[in-house]
Amino acid sequence: MTQKKLRNWSVEQRRRMIEPANSNFSMSRQCRLLGLTRSSYYHRLKPESAENLALMKAIDKAHTDQPFFGARQMILFLGDEGLGGQP
């Protein structure tokens, strides 16, 4: 398989191709062949907390309703709504 084709694959797809028990190729070599950094092989995403998801949803809705709000106005608005920031 060529490097060009591998670039179209997601990190997760390339991560699944690595065989940790393979004695012929080290982990470092396998990652290099797949065009994957070793840190991205070991890194696992953490799911977003329910609180953070609610805050992101509120920010998205507020931005949709008031697209002219800047960062400071958004902080004040979210504080008034009881969602963090400064009241």
Side-chain angles (χ1 to χ4, degrees), residues 10-26:
S10 71
V11 171
E12 188 57 40
Q13 288 172 314
R14 287 182 275 166
R15 188 183 291 150
R16 283 193 298 257
M17 291 180 70
I18 292 179
E19 299 173 355
N22 188 332
S23 60
N24 295 327
F25 295 103
S26 67

Side-chain angles (χ1 to χ4, degrees), residues 6-42:
L6 283 174
R7 276 185 263 164
N8 294 330
W9 291 23
S10 71
V11 171
E12 188 57 40
Q13 288 172 314
R14 287 182 275 166
R15 188 183 291 150
R16 283 193 298 257
M17 291 180 70
I18 292 179
E19 299 173 355
N22 188 332
S23 60
N24 295 327
F25 295 103
S26 67
M27 290 293 289
S28 179
R29 176 91 172 130
Q30 290 182 62
C31 288
R32 197 175 15 209
L33 288 170
L34 291 169
L36 186 69
T37 61
R38 281 188 333 161
S39 60
S40 64
Y41 171 71
Y42 291 107

Side-chain angles (χ1 to χ4, degrees), residues 37-53:
T37 61
R38 281 188 333 161
S39 60
S40 64
Y41 171 71
Y42 291 107
H43 179 73
R44 298 290 184 237
L45 293 177
K46 296 178 184 174
E48 291 290 342
S49 67
E51 179 184 6
N52 199 26
L53 288 173

Side-chain angles (χ1 to χ4, degrees), residues 1-2 5 16 24-25 34 41 52 55 67 69 81 83 85:
M1 185 165 301
T2 65
K5 287 182 181 178
R16 283 193 298 257
N24 295 327
F25 295 103
L34 291 169
Y41 171 71
N52 199 26
L55 185 58
F69 272 9
E81 298 293 314
L83 295 170

